[in-house]
Amino acid sequence: MPLHRLPVFIAALWWGGIAGMSFVAVPTIFATLGNPAIAGPVAARIFSLQCWAGMALGALLMLVLRRQRSSLPADASPQTVAALRGLLVTMALVAFAVLLAMLQECGVAQKIVSARATGGNLRVWHSLGTVLVLGQWLCASAVLWRLIGRAGRP
């Protein structure tokens, strides 16, 4: 596999993991098990693994993109400036998605557990968790789309 395609491969794994786990596996678990008290902890574990995988894949993607950035020519030609701008926007999307994953794993997931144990507002925390997962998926989608657009270029 040519190395210039590595970011596309990483982004595809990231996007596919979020899509598969969040939009297929978790709803299937709830539909199959039927009891939210049983399905909830399983879904929580899947979301936790998804967050950690997203953070790891995002960090790896940042390293690869940083290396691509450092290999750009040092001139200020319009092509170099456009390539640099594109890489920086892509890196910002990756960083934002990783931040969302961190917020979900280290903040919202804990609040869901706490709300379940204390009778707190579980609906609010589940809704916020859903927004964070959707945000990660949208960022990963945008990253993948941007990388596919330039995958044919070394």
Side-chain angles (χ1 to χ4, degrees):
M1 168 172 45
L3 288 181
H4 69 276
R5 293 181 186 214
L6 184 60
V8 173
F9 183 73
I10 296 167
L13 283 174
W14 188 19
W15 177 85
I18 295 170
M21 295 297 178
S22 300
F23 307 135
V24 178
V26 169
T28 301
I29 288 168
F30 277 94
T32 303
L33 296 178
N35 184 345
I38 296 171
V42 176
R45 182 70 180 136
I46 286 175
F47 280 125
S48 180
L49 291 172
Q50 174 187 304
C51 282
W52 286 106
M55 287 184 267
L57 289 169
L60 180 61
L61 191 54
M62 288 293 270
L63 290 172
V64 173
L65 293 175
R66 185 174 180 267
R67 183 177 182 138
Q68 285 185 352
R69 188 187 76 191
S70 68
S71 69
L72 288 174
D75 66 0
S77 69
Q79 294 85 4
T80 302
V81 171
L84 179 60
R85 182 176 294 131
L87 270 173
L88 292 175
V89 168
T90 302
M91 291 171 80
L93 286 166
V94 171
F96 187 64
V98 169
L99 176 64
L100 293 176
M102 289 170 54
L103 286 171
Q104 179 185 344
E105 179 61 21
C106 300
V108 173
Q110 305 306 319
K111 295 292 187 179
I112 290 172
V113 170
S114 175
R116 191 176 292 132
T118 62
N121 198 339
L122 196 56
R123 185 178 202 167
V124 167
W125 294 111
H126 270 135
S127 297
L128 184 55
T130 300
V131 168
L132 292 174
V133 169
L134 184 59
Q136 291 171 63
W137 182 77
L138 289 172
C139 286
S141 299
V143 167
L144 182 58
W145 187 264
R146 295 175 64 80
L147 292 174
I148 288 171
R150 61 182 195 82
R153 297 176 296 227

